[in-house]
Amino acid sequence: MGEAHYLEHEVHGWAARDCSGVLSPFKFSRRATGPRDVTFKVLYCGICHSDLHQIRNEWQNSKYPMVPGHEFVGIVTEIGPEVHQHKVGDHVGVGCMVGSCQNCDSCAKGAEQYCECMTPTYNDVDQDGKPTYGGYSALMVCDERFVLQIPKSLPLDAAAPLLCAGITVYSPLRYFGMDEAGKSLGVVGLGGLGHMAVKFGKAFGMNVTVISTSPSKEEEARLILNADNFLVSKNDQQMKKAVKTLDYIIDTVSAKHELEPLLSLLKVNGKLVLVGGPEEPLQLNPFAILFGRKTVAGSTIGGIKETQDMLDFCGVHNLISTIETIPFEYVNKAMDRLAKSDVKYRFVIDVANTL
Ligand code: NAP
Ligand code: ZN
């Protein structure tokens, strides 16, 4: 067991200072390792489009300075005396939450992401009144209940995106029963979340169709991600031919877009689940779902137990993200590329080697 650490930790990271979203080096402190805390050296952190929305204040609730990052992994260096689930040397990670009330119905059901008091990993205030800072930083201190075990068989860099991109698509696929072998799954938007949805769909034995605005992504979607079909959403002919062919759709698009063409692809009783967070509302024409008794639903990340189940599933199936690893110096360039959908399929910051 690591020695208890009574001093605050001085931590180096990168932060955005205002809504320009430009990231630059930033020094801050994290609390001393408490009785139930796990402290770990951060090795890798994925870049989620939510980081981009938030550094640029696109959801209009940004607090600065902001240290983003909610899919990061590393190695435990210290634990508090009451920690039972993790030990020094373990491969661990933290996703989008670092706290919840532990008392409400959602927490009791293992759906902490829907707890009214859920504390996001960054851009919020922790129980101790200090700002929460995310994984674009060298070291993390977190309540053990929000720390996940990363299967040792998985490479840490490509496992990092499982903690947000992975669980955000895995949770609704499981919850809404969109995981049946032999059924057809449409995945809209082939970015970080989308490519993980393709991988899970294939692991569940489904027939997967990518629906994308980028014709240039087709070849690799078929060859590398094993997608069965690829539709260019702006190609009316292709879209028309695919009407009523899909059982389920997961929509990961980060910007405003039309739902009607997507809903037309669903069979009777089909379901479309939204997980993207565009800054502007989408339009829903009731007639697009009345005829065909279709469901439109939403979902956000996943509970802690469910996230661990997903990581264990990935360990067994050797399922990881397809990544482009970058140094911190490249992070602003990476954000510009992400804004243009120019990523295959997740940027991961090599935190420990480039701070
Ligand atoms: P990403 O890597 O940027 O992927 C988004 C993809 O959407 C793009 O690659 C692009 O795919 C497509 N797209 C972009 N602009 C579009 C437009 N105007 N019209 C149609 N398609 C467009 O982003 P991500 O990290 O996967 O995140 C996706 C969204 O999910 C973001 O809004 C993010 O904030 C949100 N999110 C939600 C949760 C949650 O808990 N619900 C968790 C994480 C992220 P193509 O090139 O294939 O068209
Ligand atoms: Zn995310």
Side-chain angles (χ1 to χ4, degrees):
M1 189 186 290
E3 283 284 300
H5 194 291
Y6 300 104
L7 298 172
E8 287 197 331
H9 304 270
E10 291 301 313
V11 182
H12 289 270
W14 279 52
R17 316 306 167 104
D18 55 45
C19 64
S20 70
V22 174
L23 293 148
S24 58
F26 175 65
K27 224 170 108 177
F28 61 101
S29 65
R30 295 203 189 270
R31 65 171 179 263
T33 309
R36 293 200 69 167
D37 283 338
V38 170
T39 296
F40 65 95
K41 179 182 160 82
V42 178
L43 297 183
Y44 298 103
C45 182
I47 298 184
C48 180
H49 203 113
S50 301
D51 300 342
L52 178 58
H53 288 305
Q54 292 185 90
I55 57 174
R56 296 185 181 172
N57 196 25
E58 289 174 0
W59 293 341
Q60 319 220 328
N61 66 351
S62 296
K63 300 173 186 70
Y64 301 98
M66 180 191 298
V67 177
H70 60 203
E71 44 177 51
F72 53 109
V73 296
I75 296 177
V76 177
T77 54
E78 184 182 29
I79 58 170
E82 292 165 30
V83 168
H84 301 298
Q85 302 166 40
H86 310 282
K87 54 185 194 311
V88 170
D90 281 358
H91 290 186
V92 295
V94 165
C96 302
M97 307 182 275
V98 292
S100 72
C101 83
Q102 304 286 321
N103 268 322
C104 68
D105 195 38
S106 293
C107 287
K109 290 184 172 138
E112 298 90 345
Q113 73 273 34
Y114 302 118
C115 169
E116 296 280 329
C117 304
M118 185 271 279
T119 309
T121 304
Y122 68 86
N123 197 41
D124 210 283
V125 178
D126 219 336
Q127 284 120 339
D128 59 7
K130 288 174 80 171
T132 55
Y133 291 128
Y136 292 20
S137 64
L139 183 114
M140 182 65 180
V141 179
C142 185
D143 181 328
E144 72 158 329
R145 289 169 290 200
F146 291 85
V147 175
L148 286 309
Q149 283 281 326
I150 310 295
K152 280 235 161 122
S153 60
L154 297 181
L156 278 171
D157 50 358
L162 299 175
L163 290 156
C164 176
I167 187 59
T168 298
V169 296
Y170 180 90
S171 178
L173 293 179
R174 291 297 205 197
Y175 180 82
F176 291 103
M178 296 168 29
D179 56 356
E180 299 157 277
K183 296 275 176 147
S184 49
L185 173 70
V187 175
V188 193
L190 195 58
L193 270 55
H195 94 289
M196 290 309 307
V198 174
K199 291 189 183 202
F200 283 122
K202 291 312 296 173
F204 299 152
M206 304 178 81
N207 185 285
V208 178
T209 297
V210 173
I211 302 141
S212 171
T213 58
S214 310
S216 62
K217 292 183 182 173
E218 173 162 5
E219 198 179 326
E220 284 174 61
R222 290 181 185 273
L223 286 179
I224 295 170
L225 303 176
N226 292 320
D228 300 284
N229 306 298
F230 192 98
L231 299 174
V232 177
S233 49
K234 288 172 183 156
N235 182 325
D236 290 339
Q237 242 181 336
Q238 278 187 8
M239 291 292 280
K240 228 181 198 161
K241 251 177 91 182
V243 163
K244 291 191 183 153
T245 59
L246 302 177
D247 294 295
Y248 311 118
I249 293 177
I250 184 158
D251 180 340
T252 74
V253 173
S254 52
K256 190 168 184 181
H257 61 290
E258 299 283 331
L259 288 180
E260 245 172 283
L262 301 174
L263 289 165
S264 75
L265 303 178
L266 287 175
K267 298 178 189 171
V268 172
N269 297 328
K271 300 178 196 175
L272 179 149
V273 177
L274 293 162
V275 291
E279 54 183 310
E280 283 179 75
L282 306 181
Q283 268 195 341
L284 177 62
N285 177 356
F287 289 107
I289 53 173
L290 299 186
F291 296 112
R293 194 166 51 192
K294 296 170 187 175
T295 302
V296 175
S299 180
T300 193
I301 51 173
I304 293 295
K305 181 180 178 301
E306 189 180 27
T307 305
Q308 189 62 58
D309 290 347
M310 182 252 346
L311 289 164
D312 296 343
F313 178 90
C314 291
V316 170
H317 294 264
N318 201 22
L319 204 156
I320 46 176
S321 179
T322 302
I323 61 169
E324 179 175 340
T325 307
I326 60 159
F328 260 113
E329 293 69 42
Y330 192 77
V331 72
N332 291 306
K333 182 86 200 303
M335 290 294 181
D336 288 339
R337 283 182 52 196
L338 191 58
K340 291 185 267 173
S341 306
D342 175 20
V343 55
K344 284 177 184 165
Y345 293 90
R346 198 64 148 179
F347 290 113
V348 172
I349 307 168
D350 183 355
V351 174
N353 289 318
T354 65
L355 254 180

